[in-house]
mmCIF file of all heavy atoms in Angstrom:
data_model
loop_
_atom_site.group_PDB
_atom_site.id
_atom_site.type_symbol
_atom_site.label_atom_id
_atom_site.label_comp_id
_atom_site.label_asym_id
_atom_site.label_seq_id
_atom_site.Cartn_x
_atom_site.Cartn_y
_atom_site.Cartn_z
ATOM 1 N N GLY C 1 4.074 58.987 -23.635
ATOM 2 C CA GLY C 1 3.924 57.720 -24.334
ATOM 3 C C GLY C 1 4.170 56.551 -23.408
ATOM 4 O O GLY C 1 4.790 56.692 -22.346
ATOM 5 N N ALA C 2 3.691 55.381 -23.799
ATOM 6 C CA ALA C 2 3.747 54.196 -22.945
ATOM 7 C C ALA C 2 5.168 53.866 -22.510
ATOM 8 O O ALA C 2 5.404 53.500 -21.354
ATOM 9 C CB ALA C 2 3.128 53.002 -23.670
ATOM 10 N N ASN C 3 6.148 53.998 -23.415
ATOM 11 C CA ASN C 3 7.514 53.587 -23.115
ATOM 12 C C ASN C 3 8.428 54.747 -22.714
ATOM 13 O O ASN C 3 9.644 54.560 -22.578
ATOM 14 C CB ASN C 3 8.122 52.850 -24.307
ATOM 15 C CG ASN C 3 7.505 51.478 -24.489
ATOM 16 O OD1 ASN C 3 7.198 50.794 -23.520
ATOM 17 N ND2 ASN C 3 7.306 51.073 -25.733
ATOM 18 N N TYR C 4 7.855 55.914 -22.526
ATOM 19 C CA TYR C 4 8.629 57.025 -21.985
ATOM 20 C C TYR C 4 8.720 56.863 -20.467
ATOM 21 O O TYR C 4 7.794 56.342 -19.826
ATOM 22 C CB TYR C 4 7.957 58.358 -22.294
ATOM 23 C CG TYR C 4 8.127 58.834 -23.717
ATOM 24 C CD1 TYR C 4 7.408 58.263 -24.761
ATOM 25 C CD2 TYR C 4 9.003 59.871 -24.024
ATOM 26 C CE1 TYR C 4 7.556 58.703 -26.074
ATOM 27 C CE2 TYR C 4 9.160 60.329 -25.327
ATOM 28 C CZ TYR C 4 8.438 59.740 -26.337
ATOM 29 O OH TYR C 4 8.588 60.178 -27.618
ATOM 30 N N PRO C 5 9.821 57.313 -19.858
ATOM 31 C CA PRO C 5 9.883 57.233 -18.397
ATOM 32 C C PRO C 5 8.819 58.124 -17.768
ATOM 33 O O PRO C 5 8.519 59.200 -18.286
ATOM 34 C CB PRO C 5 11.289 57.732 -18.069
ATOM 35 C CG PRO C 5 11.673 58.585 -19.227
ATOM 36 C CD PRO C 5 11.016 57.952 -20.426
ATOM 37 N N VAL C 6 8.239 57.672 -16.679
ATOM 38 C CA VAL C 6 7.289 58.512 -15.965
ATOM 39 C C VAL C 6 8.081 59.614 -15.259
ATOM 40 O O VAL C 6 9.208 59.399 -14.814
ATOM 41 C CB VAL C 6 6.458 57.684 -14.961
ATOM 42 C CG1 VAL C 6 7.305 57.174 -13.806
ATOM 43 C CG2 VAL C 6 5.263 58.476 -14.467
ATOM 44 N N TYR C 7 7.507 60.815 -15.198
ATOM 45 C CA TYR C 7 8.156 61.926 -14.508
ATOM 46 C C TYR C 7 7.100 62.758 -13.795
ATOM 47 O O TYR C 7 5.911 62.487 -13.885
ATOM 48 C CB TYR C 7 8.989 62.778 -15.471
ATOM 49 C CG TYR C 7 8.248 63.280 -16.689
ATOM 50 C CD1 TYR C 7 7.514 64.469 -16.662
ATOM 51 C CD2 TYR C 7 8.297 62.573 -17.882
ATOM 52 C CE1 TYR C 7 6.843 64.935 -17.781
ATOM 53 C CE2 TYR C 7 7.630 63.028 -19.013
ATOM 54 C CZ TYR C 7 6.902 64.210 -18.957
ATOM 55 O OH TYR C 7 6.232 64.654 -20.067
ATOM 56 N N PHE C 8 7.565 63.759 -13.088
ATOM 57 C CA PHE C 8 6.720 64.548 -12.184
ATOM 58 C C PHE C 8 6.180 63.650 -11.062
ATOM 59 O O PHE C 8 5.012 63.655 -10.706
ATOM 60 C CB PHE C 8 5.564 65.228 -12.932
ATOM 61 C CG PHE C 8 5.094 66.486 -12.236
ATOM 62 C CD1 PHE C 8 5.903 67.599 -12.181
ATOM 63 C CD2 PHE C 8 3.863 66.541 -11.624
ATOM 64 C CE1 PHE C 8 5.480 68.751 -11.537
ATOM 65 C CE2 PHE C 8 3.427 67.693 -10.976
ATOM 66 C CZ PHE C 8 4.245 68.804 -10.929
ATOM 67 N N VAL C 9 7.109 62.845 -10.502
ATOM 68 C CA VAL C 9 6.793 61.906 -9.417
ATOM 69 C C VAL C 9 7.671 62.248 -8.224
ATOM 70 O O VAL C 9 8.894 62.383 -8.361
ATOM 71 C CB VAL C 9 7.079 60.452 -9.850
ATOM 72 C CG1 VAL C 9 6.846 59.486 -8.698
ATOM 73 C CG2 VAL C 9 6.221 60.069 -11.042
ATOM 74 N N ASN C 10 7.065 62.407 -7.046
ATOM 75 C CA ASN C 10 7.878 62.632 -5.852
ATOM 76 C C ASN C 10 8.218 61.306 -5.175
ATOM 77 O O ASN C 10 7.739 60.235 -5.573
ATOM 78 C CB ASN C 10 7.214 63.629 -4.889
ATOM 79 C CG ASN C 10 5.886 63.139 -4.320
ATOM 80 O OD1 ASN C 10 5.678 61.946 -4.102
ATOM 81 N ND2 ASN C 10 4.961 64.064 -4.072
ATOM 82 N N TRP C 11 9.031 61.374 -4.122
ATOM 83 C CA TRP C 11 9.506 60.167 -3.444
ATOM 84 C C TRP C 11 8.348 59.380 -2.833
ATOM 85 O O TRP C 11 8.321 58.159 -2.891
ATOM 86 C CB TRP C 11 10.520 60.567 -2.357
ATOM 87 C CG TRP C 11 11.196 59.436 -1.657
ATOM 88 C CD1 TRP C 11 12.359 58.827 -2.018
ATOM 89 C CD2 TRP C 11 10.756 58.780 -0.456
ATOM 90 N NE1 TRP C 11 12.681 57.831 -1.116
ATOM 91 C CE2 TRP C 11 11.707 57.777 -0.142
ATOM 92 C CE3 TRP C 11 9.660 58.934 0.393
ATOM 93 C CZ2 TRP C 11 11.597 56.950 0.963
ATOM 94 C CZ3 TRP C 11 9.547 58.100 1.502
ATOM 95 C CH2 TRP C 11 10.502 57.122 1.778
ATOM 96 N N ILE C 12 7.379 60.094 -2.265
ATOM 97 C CA ILE C 12 6.230 59.437 -1.637
ATOM 98 C C ILE C 12 5.457 58.626 -2.672
ATOM 99 O O ILE C 12 5.064 57.485 -2.428
ATOM 100 C CB ILE C 12 5.303 60.476 -0.979
ATOM 101 C CG1 ILE C 12 6.061 61.239 0.111
ATOM 102 C CG2 ILE C 12 4.063 59.814 -0.389
ATOM 103 C CD1 ILE C 12 5.295 62.432 0.651
ATOM 104 N N GLU C 13 5.242 59.212 -3.847
ATOM 105 C CA GLU C 13 4.494 58.515 -4.898
ATOM 106 C C GLU C 13 5.272 57.315 -5.439
ATOM 107 O O GLU C 13 4.680 56.276 -5.753
ATOM 108 C CB GLU C 13 4.164 59.497 -6.021
ATOM 109 C CG GLU C 13 3.156 60.566 -5.597
ATOM 110 C CD GLU C 13 3.071 61.725 -6.573
ATOM 111 O OE1 GLU C 13 4.088 61.999 -7.255
ATOM 112 O OE2 GLU C 13 2.007 62.370 -6.625
ATOM 113 N N ALA C 14 6.590 57.447 -5.534
ATOM 114 C CA ALA C 14 7.403 56.318 -5.976
ATOM 115 C C ALA C 14 7.305 55.154 -4.988
ATOM 116 O O ALA C 14 7.192 53.985 -5.380
ATOM 117 C CB ALA C 14 8.862 56.745 -6.145
ATOM 118 N N MET C 15 7.313 55.486 -3.693
ATOM 119 C CA MET C 15 7.185 54.437 -2.679
ATOM 120 C C MET C 15 5.774 53.843 -2.657
ATOM 121 O O MET C 15 5.604 52.648 -2.387
ATOM 122 C CB MET C 15 7.546 54.989 -1.305
ATOM 123 C CG MET C 15 9.034 55.274 -1.134
ATOM 124 S SD MET C 15 10.066 53.794 -1.274
ATOM 125 C CE MET C 15 9.647 52.954 0.263
ATOM 126 N N GLU C 16 4.759 54.642 -2.954
ATOM 127 C CA GLU C 16 3.394 54.129 -3.028
ATOM 128 C C GLU C 16 3.255 53.162 -4.204
ATOM 129 O O GLU C 16 2.555 52.147 -4.114
ATOM 130 C CB GLU C 16 2.399 55.275 -3.177
ATOM 131 C CG GLU C 16 0.940 54.863 -3.194
ATOM 132 C CD GLU C 16 0.455 54.246 -1.887
ATOM 133 O OE1 GLU C 16 1.116 54.457 -0.837
ATOM 134 O OE2 GLU C 16 -0.576 53.550 -1.913
ATOM 135 N N PHE C 17 3.927 53.468 -5.327
ATOM 136 C CA PHE C 17 3.974 52.541 -6.464
ATOM 137 C C PHE C 17 4.541 51.198 -6.010
ATOM 138 O O PHE C 17 3.988 50.133 -6.318
ATOM 139 C CB PHE C 17 4.832 53.144 -7.571
ATOM 140 C CG PHE C 17 5.044 52.242 -8.765
ATOM 141 C CD1 PHE C 17 4.216 52.325 -9.872
ATOM 142 C CD2 PHE C 17 6.088 51.319 -8.792
ATOM 143 C CE1 PHE C 17 4.418 51.494 -10.978
ATOM 144 C CE2 PHE C 17 6.293 50.485 -9.878
ATOM 145 C CZ PHE C 17 5.452 50.583 -10.977
ATOM 146 N N CYS C 18 5.650 51.234 -5.259
ATOM 147 C CA CYS C 18 6.269 49.993 -4.775
ATOM 148 C C CYS C 18 5.327 49.240 -3.847
ATOM 149 O O CYS C 18 5.230 48.006 -3.908
ATOM 150 C CB CYS C 18 7.583 50.313 -4.058
ATOM 151 S SG CYS C 18 8.860 51.017 -5.117
ATOM 152 N N LYS C 19 4.634 49.959 -2.981
ATOM 153 C CA LYS C 19 3.703 49.326 -2.051
ATOM 154 C C LYS C 19 2.593 48.592 -2.799
ATOM 155 O O LYS C 19 2.280 47.428 -2.492
ATOM 156 C CB LYS C 19 3.103 50.380 -1.124
ATOM 157 C CG LYS C 19 2.078 49.824 -0.137
ATOM 158 C CD LYS C 19 1.479 50.941 0.721
ATOM 159 C CE LYS C 19 0.396 50.394 1.654
ATOM 160 N NZ LYS C 19 -0.215 51.492 2.462
ATOM 161 N N LYS C 20 2.006 49.249 -3.784
ATOM 162 C CA LYS C 20 0.927 48.617 -4.538
ATOM 163 C C LYS C 20 1.445 47.451 -5.383
ATOM 164 O O LYS C 20 0.751 46.446 -5.554
ATOM 165 C CB LYS C 20 0.229 49.649 -5.415
ATOM 166 C CG LYS C 20 -0.584 50.667 -4.621
ATOM 167 C CD LYS C 20 -1.413 51.557 -5.524
ATOM 168 C CE LYS C 20 -2.304 52.487 -4.695
ATOM 169 N NZ LYS C 20 -3.173 53.330 -5.542
ATOM 170 N N LEU C 21 2.661 47.591 -5.888
ATOM 171 C CA LEU C 21 3.256 46.499 -6.659
ATOM 172 C C LEU C 21 3.492 45.288 -5.759
ATOM 173 O O LEU C 21 3.250 44.141 -6.162
ATOM 174 C CB LEU C 21 4.563 46.964 -7.300
ATOM 175 C CG LEU C 21 5.318 45.955 -8.162
ATOM 176 C CD1 LEU C 21 4.438 45.406 -9.279
ATOM 177 C CD2 LEU C 21 6.580 46.585 -8.739
ATOM 178 N N ASN C 22 3.947 45.518 -4.535
ATOM 179 C CA ASN C 22 4.111 44.419 -3.577
ATOM 180 C C ASN C 22 2.793 43.704 -3.331
ATOM 181 O O ASN C 22 2.730 42.471 -3.287
ATOM 182 C CB ASN C 22 4.656 44.948 -2.247
ATOM 183 C CG ASN C 22 6.152 45.148 -2.266
ATOM 184 O OD1 ASN C 22 6.881 44.320 -2.773
ATOM 185 N ND2 ASN C 22 6.613 46.254 -1.718
ATOM 186 N N GLU C 23 1.726 44.464 -3.150
ATOM 187 C CA GLU C 23 0.412 43.868 -2.885
ATOM 188 C C GLU C 23 -0.032 43.018 -4.067
ATOM 189 O O GLU C 23 -0.537 41.901 -3.900
ATOM 190 C CB GLU C 23 -0.606 44.974 -2.595
ATOM 191 C CG GLU C 23 -0.346 45.711 -1.285
ATOM 192 C CD GLU C 23 -1.199 46.961 -1.132
ATOM 193 O OE1 GLU C 23 -1.898 47.338 -2.111
ATOM 194 O OE2 GLU C 23 -1.172 47.585 -0.052
ATOM 195 N N GLN C 24 0.153 43.542 -5.284
ATOM 196 C CA GLN C 24 -0.269 42.806 -6.481
ATOM 197 C C GLN C 24 0.536 41.520 -6.637
ATOM 198 O O GLN C 24 -0.025 40.450 -6.917
ATOM 199 C CB GLN C 24 -0.079 43.682 -7.719
ATOM 200 C CG GLN C 24 -0.354 42.952 -9.038
ATOM 201 C CD GLN C 24 -0.276 43.855 -10.244
ATOM 202 O OE1 GLN C 24 -0.956 44.874 -10.301
ATOM 203 N NE2 GLN C 24 0.559 43.494 -11.211
ATOM 204 N N GLU C 25 1.851 41.607 -6.458
ATOM 205 C CA GLU C 25 2.703 40.437 -6.675
ATOM 206 C C GLU C 25 2.550 39.407 -5.562
ATOM 207 O O GLU C 25 2.673 38.205 -5.803
ATOM 208 C CB GLU C 25 4.162 40.877 -6.809
ATOM 209 C CG GLU C 25 4.436 41.650 -8.081
ATOM 210 C CD GLU C 25 3.992 40.879 -9.311
ATOM 211 O OE1 GLU C 25 4.624 39.859 -9.619
ATOM 212 O OE2 GLU C 25 2.991 41.264 -9.948
ATOM 213 N N LYS C 26 2.267 39.864 -4.344
ATOM 214 C CA LYS C 26 2.007 38.920 -3.257
ATOM 215 C C LYS C 26 0.728 38.144 -3.524
ATOM 216 O O LYS C 26 0.659 36.922 -3.341
ATOM 217 C CB LYS C 26 1.910 39.658 -1.928
ATOM 218 C CG LYS C 26 1.798 38.737 -0.724
ATOM 219 C CD LYS C 26 1.840 39.525 0.583
ATOM 220 C CE LYS C 26 1.779 38.582 1.774
ATOM 221 N NZ LYS C 26 1.831 39.324 3.065
ATOM 222 N N THR C 27 -0.301 38.843 -3.996
ATOM 223 C CA THR C 27 -1.566 38.191 -4.336
ATOM 224 C C THR C 27 -1.376 37.185 -5.471
ATOM 225 O O THR C 27 -1.968 36.105 -5.465
ATOM 226 C CB THR C 27 -2.615 39.240 -4.734
ATOM 227 O OG1 THR C 27 -2.841 40.127 -3.632
ATOM 228 C CG2 THR C 27 -3.924 38.584 -5.126
ATOM 229 N N ALA C 28 -0.518 37.536 -6.428
ATOM 230 C CA ALA C 28 -0.269 36.660 -7.573
ATOM 231 C C ALA C 28 0.659 35.498 -7.224
ATOM 232 O O ALA C 28 0.843 34.593 -8.042
ATOM 233 C CB ALA C 28 0.329 37.468 -8.724
ATOM 234 N N GLY C 29 1.250 35.516 -6.029
ATOM 235 C CA GLY C 29 2.142 34.435 -5.619
ATOM 236 C C GLY C 29 3.513 34.496 -6.248
ATOM 237 O O GLY C 29 4.231 33.495 -6.291
ATOM 238 N N ARG C 30 3.902 35.677 -6.744
ATOM 239 C CA ARG C 30 5.199 35.805 -7.420
ATOM 240 C C ARG C 30 6.253 36.522 -6.585
ATOM 241 O O ARG C 30 7.386 36.684 -7.038
ATOM 242 C CB ARG C 30 5.017 36.549 -8.750
ATOM 243 C CG ARG C 30 4.250 35.799 -9.810
ATOM 244 C CD ARG C 30 4.319 36.531 -11.144
ATOM 245 N NE ARG C 30 3.628 37.800 -11.091
ATOM 246 C CZ ARG C 30 2.412 38.029 -11.585
ATOM 247 N NH1 ARG C 30 1.740 37.046 -12.158
ATOM 248 N NH2 ARG C 30 1.857 39.215 -11.510
ATOM 249 N N LEU C 31 5.900 36.988 -5.403
ATOM 250 C CA LEU C 31 6.846 37.762 -4.602
ATOM 251 C C LEU C 31 7.789 36.804 -3.873
ATOM 252 O O LEU C 31 7.356 36.039 -3.014
ATOM 253 C CB LEU C 31 6.090 38.634 -3.605
ATOM 254 C CG LEU C 31 6.906 39.719 -2.887
ATOM 255 C CD1 LEU C 31 7.420 40.746 -3.897
ATOM 256 C CD2 LEU C 31 6.048 40.419 -1.837
ATOM 257 N N PRO C 32 9.085 36.811 -4.208
ATOM 258 C CA PRO C 32 10.015 35.888 -3.544
ATOM 259 C C PRO C 32 10.060 36.127 -2.039
ATOM 260 O O PRO C 32 10.038 37.269 -1.582
ATOM 261 C CB PRO C 32 11.365 36.218 -4.197
ATOM 262 C CG PRO C 32 11.030 36.860 -5.493
ATOM 263 C CD PRO C 32 9.756 37.609 -5.247
ATOM 264 N N GLU C 33 10.121 35.054 -1.280
ATOM 265 C CA GLU C 33 10.134 35.166 0.172
ATOM 266 C C GLU C 33 11.354 35.964 0.627
ATOM 267 O O GLU C 33 12.472 35.730 0.199
ATOM 268 C CB GLU C 33 10.159 33.775 0.805
ATOM 269 C CG GLU C 33 10.046 33.793 2.313
ATOM 270 C CD GLU C 33 9.986 32.381 2.896
ATOM 271 O OE1 GLU C 33 10.161 31.427 2.133
ATOM 272 O OE2 GLU C 33 9.751 32.264 4.105
ATOM 273 N N GLY C 34 11.120 36.933 1.516
ATOM 274 C CA GLY C 34 12.208 37.745 2.047
ATOM 275 C C GLY C 34 12.581 38.928 1.188
ATOM 276 O O GLY C 34 13.533 39.654 1.511
ATOM 277 N N TYR C 35 11.852 39.160 0.104
ATOM 278 C CA TYR C 35 12.130 40.274 -0.800
ATOM 279 C C TYR C 35 10.896 41.162 -0.918
ATOM 280 O O TYR C 35 9.762 40.712 -0.738
ATOM 281 C CB TYR C 35 12.532 39.776 -2.192
ATOM 282 C CG TYR C 35 13.959 39.291 -2.277
ATOM 283 C CD1 TYR C 35 14.326 38.058 -1.759
ATOM 284 C CD2 TYR C 35 14.951 40.068 -2.867
ATOM 285 C CE1 TYR C 35 15.638 37.604 -1.822
ATOM 286 C CE2 TYR C 35 16.263 39.633 -2.942
ATOM 287 C CZ TYR C 35 16.604 38.404 -2.422
ATOM 288 O OH TYR C 35 17.900 37.964 -2.485
ATOM 289 N N GLU C 36 11.130 42.441 -1.253
ATOM 290 C CA GLU C 36 10.033 43.371 -1.475
ATOM 291 C C GLU C 36 10.445 44.377 -2.551
ATOM 292 O O GLU C 36 11.628 44.673 -2.739
ATOM 293 C CB GLU C 36 9.676 44.107 -0.187
ATOM 294 C CG GLU C 36 10.780 45.022 0.319
ATOM 295 C CD GLU C 36 10.435 45.737 1.605
ATOM 296 O OE1 GLU C 36 9.285 45.596 2.062
ATOM 297 O OE2 GLU C 36 11.313 46.434 2.157
ATOM 298 N N TYR C 37 9.444 44.898 -3.255
ATOM 299 C CA TYR C 37 9.687 45.980 -4.202
ATOM 300 C C TYR C 37 9.860 47.271 -3.427
ATOM 301 O O TYR C 37 9.072 47.590 -2.519
ATOM 302 C CB TYR C 37 8.541 46.095 -5.205
ATOM 303 C CG TYR C 37 8.567 45.000 -6.237
ATOM 304 C CD1 TYR C 37 7.797 43.850 -6.066
ATOM 305 C CD2 TYR C 37 9.381 45.094 -7.359
ATOM 306 C CE1 TYR C 37 7.844 42.823 -7.003
ATOM 307 C CE2 TYR C 37 9.423 44.073 -8.302
ATOM 308 C CZ TYR C 37 8.649 42.944 -8.117
ATOM 309 O OH TYR C 37 8.713 41.936 -9.042
#
């Protein structure tokens, strides 16, 4: 379900999620300077 925690995720995939989130938020202009997901 939408609000259930995601599972069956390894460390590499979790870090890839963070990488893509950084790209999206940087493009949107919301990523605070000096910080990263």
Side-chain angles (χ1 to χ4, degrees):
N3 289 323
Y4 284 75
V6 68
Y7 53 87
F8 207 68
V9 176
N10 64 33
W11 186 90
I12 299 170
E13 292 166 332
M15 289 297 289
E16 183 65 19
F17 176 94
C18 295
K19 178 182 177 182
K20 290 188 175 183
L21 181 56
N22 279 317
E23 292 169 353
Q24 174 175 305
E25 291 306 291
K26 187 175 182 179
T27 299
R30 292 189 294 258
L31 192 64
E33 185 176 7
Y35 282 76
E36 65 181 355
Y37 285 96

